[in-house]
């Protein structure tokens, strides 16, 4: 028999080893599906690797794809730190995309447009996140369910826009009109899609880390997450901090939408996010809710997503494998996390 | 407005409510059993999707509808067991594990479906269940054809509600479930295995979610499509709160939701003014959020919900 025994201390190298262990376990587990699809495991992962990290263009594509996941990952990490269960990053991202698209279509000098798009997108995301937070603080509504349900509401609102007032009257496709060329985020590397938002995402991670680790708000967020009773006893206005956390989390998720509109698609369509909001949960957990860890975690998932399509073309393994990898990675990481708090002890024939 | 009222009291409308309520009733009852034992199962959306896929596939390959239902139920139970393994045996966060189970099962459903059926221009379909009129009862005007000329899975849902209430309130196992959900430590002292009971409840819940999935792919759509579940699982979670963790109230909540959804469909079809149809699609979700805000004030969740149980601690 084995038993879980509480650890008194966690070895430091665990923090680095655990996510790698989880990712390793995930790749091994998912190789069964590749074999089931009748492809060579090494070959399939090889194609995935080379298509996402093999050459400089592949690397830029992975960076571009990692960008929204860094933002949603940060959004989820910040929220989960305070035990505000924001599962609504998907809807907040869509709201951010719509708001920045609306602003980007207004004629004005480019830099101003980009600035206002960013502000509008962040504000829209924050506004959406405010709903589940308010419902929780005022009406004790479970934030998990309300933020989940809001994703559907926002999605249909987006659909109503692009099939209604924003519909392309020329082609008849449910796609919004594009933002003005002057509002397109500058491309950093000729011939790639590497845009200014990518840099912003990489800068956001250390900023959010600083905020969580070194500021008063960050301290309050952490205390509330660890022990709300103690926080209240210690004079922290729990409700106010929860609302601030929600606003910050929603704004970050909204920025994910801004980057997709300003730097990648330049307009809004129904599939502008292939579930980046949910990927954010995987990213945040792989990062152990550490904002700095969000970057490598997002890069890993982005590489998987970028590589999956090439793998599918080359080996016939359905590209949905990347979705399975995401889910498995999340579960594997949760199990791995268990080992930070507990160690497995062999015990005699206990009952 | 009178047009709307006229439509409400029609056989077709009543039948639509029943049809929409059936998968919700299964899913809501499943989630209720799980939560009553103290385990929130956010895997529901993915479990329904994966079960819908396996049920559809089993029927498509074997030609037997009931084999499909069995496959869906087993899939649901298996995924329930997976969720229980993480949350009950290992005591991991129920929120995050549930999302993990949903991501994993959804991905697996799409992956396996594409693997088995490939990419086809016309999605494969199956010959669905046929309606099974109940003699005498189906002759009752209006109510008869709507309620008693239905599919066998619909009758199963109708039977599941009193059965669930009986199991939960009138059997020793039901008592155990309620005890481990309210006060696991007391249950443990009384000699009830908290871990085993929670496992059983979550697996039973998963099996019911599997039935919900089977209904979607094998009765409602006769096909497996992407986004088949489209939030019904999440709605079921809200309906459990709305139904205050009681089988009868939960079923009532499912019917009420189905009423709003059916109404939404009718209003959409009648092309009311210039309201975009998406506004109607949003309606059930907004309704659920508002209903939760109203109900959550005095809704009392099982006190051990979300709390893992470890014998050695405290």
């Amino acid at each position: 028999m084995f038993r879980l025994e509480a650890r008194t201390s966690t070895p430091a190298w665990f923090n680095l080893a655990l996510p790698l262990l989880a990712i390793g376990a995930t790749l091994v587990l998912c190789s069964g599906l590749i074999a089931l699809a009748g492809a060579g495991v090494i070959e399939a992962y090889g194609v995935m690797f080379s298509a996402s990290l093999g050459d400089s263009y592949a690397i830029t594509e992975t960076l571009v794809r990692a960008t929204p996941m860094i933002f949603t990952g940060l959004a989820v990490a910040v929220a989960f730190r305070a035990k505000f269960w924001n599962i609504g990053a998907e809807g907040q991202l869509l709201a951010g995309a719509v708001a920045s698209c609306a602003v980007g279509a207004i004629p004005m000098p480019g830099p101003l447009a980009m600035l206002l798009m960013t502000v509008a997108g962040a504000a829209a995301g924050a506004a959406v996140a405010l709903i589940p937070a308010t419902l929780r603080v005022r009406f004790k509504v479970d934030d998990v369910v309300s933020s989940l349900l809001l994703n559907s509401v926002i999605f249909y609102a987006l659909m109503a826009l692009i099939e209604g007032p924003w519909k392309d009257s020329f082609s008849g496709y449910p796609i919004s009109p594009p933002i003005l060329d002057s509002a397109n985020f500058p491309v950093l590397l000729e011939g790639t899609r590497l845009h200014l938002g990518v840099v912003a995402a990489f800068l956001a991670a250390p900023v959010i880390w600083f905020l969580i680790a070194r500021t008063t708000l960050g301290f309050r967020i952490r205390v509330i997450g660890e022990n709300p009773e103690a926080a209240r006893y210690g004079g922290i206005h729990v409700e106010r901090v929860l609302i601030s956390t929600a606003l910050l989390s929603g704004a970050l998720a909204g920025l994910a939408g801004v980057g997709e509109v300003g730097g990648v698609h330049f307009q809004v369509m129904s599939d502008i996010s292939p579930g980046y909001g949910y990927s954010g949960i995987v990213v945040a957990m792989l990062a152990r809710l550490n904002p700095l860890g969000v970057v490598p975690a997002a890069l890993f998932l982005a590489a998987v997503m970028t590589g999956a399509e090439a793998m599918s073309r080359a080996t016939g393994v359905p590209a949905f494998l990347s979705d399975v990898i995401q889910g498995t990675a999340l579960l594997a990481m949760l199990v791995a996390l268990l080992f930070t708090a507990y160690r497995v002890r062999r015990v005699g024939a206990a009952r | 407005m009178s047009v709307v009222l006229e439509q409400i009291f029609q056989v077709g409308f009543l039948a639509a409510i029943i049809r929409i309520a059936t998968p919700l009733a299964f899913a809501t009852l499943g989630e209720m059993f799980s939560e009553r034992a103290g385990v929130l199962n956010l895997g529901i959306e993915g479990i329904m999707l994966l079960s819908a896929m396996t049920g559809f596939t089993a029927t498509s390959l074997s030609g037997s509808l009931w084999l499909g239902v069995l496959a869906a139920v087993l899939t649901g139970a298996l995924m329930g067991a997976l969720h229980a393994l993480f949350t009950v045996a290992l005591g991991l966060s129920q929120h995050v594990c549930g999302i993990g189970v949903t991501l994993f099962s959804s991905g697996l459903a799409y992956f396996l479906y594409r693997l088995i059926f490939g990419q086809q221009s016309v999605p494969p379909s199956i010959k669905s269940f046929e309606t099974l009129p109940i003699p005498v009862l189906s002759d009752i005007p209006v109510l008869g054809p709507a309620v008693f000329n239905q599919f066998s899975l619909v009758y199963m849902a109708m039977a599941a509600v009193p059965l669930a209430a009986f199991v939960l309130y009138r059997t020793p196992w039901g008592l155990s479930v309620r005890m481990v959900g309210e006060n696991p430590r007391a249950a443990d002292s009384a000699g009830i295995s908290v871990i085993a009971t929670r496992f059983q409840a979550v697996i039973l819940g998963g099996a019911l979610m599997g039935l919900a999935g089977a209904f979607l792919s094998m009765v409602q759509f006769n096909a497996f499509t992407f986004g088949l579940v489209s939030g019904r699982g999440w709605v079921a979670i809200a309906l459990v709160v709305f139904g205050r963790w009681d089988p009868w109230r939960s079923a009532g909540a499912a019917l009420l939701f189905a009423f709003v959804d059916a109404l939404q469909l009718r209003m959409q079809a009648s092309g009311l003014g210039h309201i975009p149809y998406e506004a109607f699609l949003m309606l059930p979700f907004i309704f659920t959020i508002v209903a939760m805000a109203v109900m959550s004030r005095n809704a009392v969740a099982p006190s051990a919900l979300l709390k893992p149980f470890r014998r050695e601690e405290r």
Side-chain angles (χ1 to χ4, degrees):
Chain A
M1 270 302 281
F2 293 95
R3 214 180 67 176
L4 291 174
E5 194 171 85
R7 274 181 195 279
T8 42
S9 66
T10 312
W13 59 271
F14 254 57
N15 295 333
L16 208 67
L18 281 178
L20 294 177
L21 205 72
I23 287 170
T26 301
L27 295 180
V28 170
L29 284 171
C30 290
S31 62
L33 292 175
I34 296 176
L36 190 69
V41 173
I42 307 282
E43 188 208 348
Y45 281 139
V47 174
M48 259 175 137
F49 185 82
S50 62
S52 56
L53 300 163
D55 57 61
S56 55
Y57 180 75
I59 292 174
T60 61
E61 278 299 292
T62 300
L63 289 174
V64 169
R65 214 181 255 272
T67 297
M69 287 194 274
I70 291 177
F71 279 123
T72 55
L74 290 173
V76 174
V78 165
F80 279 20
R81 270 291 172 96
K83 293 223 164 69
F84 168 61
W85 300 105
N86 183 12
I87 320 284
E90 184 75 8
Q92 291 144 23
L93 179 156
L94 296 179
V98 166
S100 64
C101 187
V103 171
I106 303 168
M108 64 179 112
L112 182 65
M114 288 172 222
L115 180 71
L116 290 183
M117 280 168 72
T118 306
V119 172
V128 173
L130 191 59
I131 299 170
T134 309
L135 285 172
R136 167 164 157 186
V137 171
R138 293 283 298 274
F139 301 99
K140 292 195 175 125
V141 174
D142 187 22
D143 38 354
V144 177
V145 184
S146 60
S147 61
L148 261 173
L149 292 172
L150 268 174
N151 287 342
S152 303
V153 176
I154 306 289
F155 177 74
Y156 289 128
L158 181 149
M159 289 302 290
L161 258 180
I162 60 179
E163 290 201 337
W166 276 10
K167 188 173 184 166
D168 188 342
S169 56
F170 184 66
S171 70
Y173 286 125
I175 302 174
S176 81
I179 56 173
L180 298 174
D181 285 349
S182 57
N184 291 3
F185 289 1
V187 174
L188 301 176
L189 212 63
E190 197 69 32
T192 71
R193 298 199 295 173
L194 208 64
H195 58 87
L196 195 63
V198 181
V199 180
F202 279 83
L203 289 178
V207 169
I208 297 300
W209 173 82
F210 182 82
L211 194 136
I212 291 287
R214 295 278 186 274
T215 66
T216 320
L217 177 65
F219 172 74
R220 288 179 176 154
I221 287 176
R222 283 181 289 136
V223 172
I224 285 179
E226 273 151 32
N227 194 338
E229 297 309 314
R232 207 180 296 275
Y233 187 74
I236 294 177
H237 198 305
V238 174
E239 285 76 17
R240 205 175 292 164
V241 178
L242 273 176
I243 296 286
S244 310
T245 310
L247 290 174
L248 177 62
S249 174
L252 284 164
L255 287 178
V258 174
E260 291 308 280
V261 168
V264 181
H265 299 291
F266 312 113
Q267 55 191 180
V268 171
M269 62 285 274
S270 65
D271 56 353
I272 190 161
S273 163
Y276 286 136
Y278 301 104
S279 304
I281 298 169
V282 184
V283 168
M285 291 314 291
L286 279 178
R288 304 194 49 198
L289 308 188
N290 180 336
L292 292 178
V294 159
V295 172
L299 283 172
F300 165 69
L301 284 191
V304 167
M305 285 169 96
T306 311
E309 278 151 35
M311 176 208 62
S312 184
R313 277 193 302 274
T315 64
V317 177
F320 291 109
L321 185 72
S322 80
D323 295 348
V324 185
I325 289 180
Q326 283 198 42
T328 313
L330 178 52
L331 293 173
M333 187 59 201
L334 286 167
V335 174
L337 277 175
L338 194 68
F339 296 117
T340 60
Y342 295 92
R343 68 168 88 213
V344 183
R345 263 289 165 86
R346 215 192 182 105
V347 290
R351 51 161 265 137
Chain B
M1 203 59 206
S2 65
V3 185
V4 174
L5 281 176
E6 231 168 72
Q7 291 195 324
I8 290 177
F9 300 102
Q10 276 181 0
V11 176
F13 187 73
L14 282 177
I17 294 178
I18 304 269
R19 205 179 55 240
I20 296 167
T22 296
L24 284 173
F26 281 133
T28 306
L29 288 176
E31 184 69 32
M32 185 215 67
F33 268 112
S34 185
E35 291 191 22
R36 265 299 174 108
V39 183
L40 173 75
N41 190 350
L42 288 183
I44 183 167
E45 183 86 4
I47 294 177
M48 284 169 70
L49 191 73
L50 186 62
S51 303
M53 197 283 296
T54 55
F56 174 81
T57 305
T59 297
S60 179
L61 298 181
S62 72
S64 159
L65 285 164
W66 287 106
L67 209 66
V69 172
L70 184 71
V73 169
L74 287 178
T75 305
L78 193 70
M79 298 315 286
L82 184 73
H83 185 62
L85 176 74
F86 289 126
T87 58
V88 179
L90 301 177
L92 297 166
S93 156
Q94 295 181 6
H95 287 131
V96 191
C97 285
I99 294 295
V101 169
T102 282
L103 285 178
F104 173 74
S105 340
S106 314
L108 197 63
Y110 294 147
F111 178 88
L112 292 176
Y113 180 77
R114 185 53 61 79
L115 195 62
I116 295 164
F117 295 98
Q119 205 158 1
Q120 301 180 4
S121 49
V122 181
S125 60
I126 52 170
K127 201 174 170 304
S128 167
F129 281 97
E130 280 174 21
T131 54
L132 198 75
I134 293 180
V136 186
L137 286 177
S138 57
D139 295 332
I140 304 170
V142 189
L143 209 61
V147 181
F148 297 109
N149 185 15
Q150 282 286 2
F151 305 93
S152 29
L153 283 179
V154 174
Y155 300 133
M156 274 172 74
M158 290 179 189
V161 180
L163 193 65
F166 177 80
V167 168
L168 193 65
Y169 297 123
R170 297 268 185 273
T171 65
W173 185 75
L175 179 66
S176 304
V177 169
R178 285 182 288 136
M179 270 184 89
V180 301
E182 286 296 338
N183 192 341
R185 209 145 293 280
D188 186 55
S189 309
I192 296 166
S193 169
V194 176
I195 304 290
T197 309
R198 284 191 169 172
F199 252 93
Q200 290 154 5
V202 179
I203 289 173
L204 172 67
L208 285 163
M209 293 166 193
L211 275 175
F215 185 85
L216 290 176
S217 66
M218 300 174 62
V219 179
Q220 205 157 335
F221 298 110
N222 301 336
F224 178 79
T225 54
F226 294 77
L228 175 96
V229 183
S230 63
R232 284 180 181 83
W234 308 138
V235 167
I237 293 171
L239 292 179
V240 175
V241 182
F242 194 53
R244 294 187 190 183
W245 292 271
D246 172 79
W248 289 106
R249 284 171 186 268
S250 294
L255 273 174
L256 186 64
F257 181 91
F259 172 76
V260 176
D261 206 17
L263 197 65
Q264 166 275 114
L265 283 169
R266 284 292 157 114
M267 282 154 72
Q268 212 176 296
S270 65
L272 225 66
H274 294 292
I275 306 169
Y277 74 91
E278 289 91 353
F280 297 116
L281 289 173
M282 268 184 228
L283 202 65
F285 293 97
I286 295 174
F287 165 76
T288 311
I289 294 172
V290 172
M292 277 184 74
V294 176
M295 294 300 289
S296 287
R297 284 182 164 180
N298 39 15
V300 184
S303 14
L305 189 63
L306 299 175
K307 295 196 182 95
F309 176 77
R310 272 189 236 280
R311 199 162 219 273
E312 309 80 46
E313 283 168 16
R314 245 195 328 155

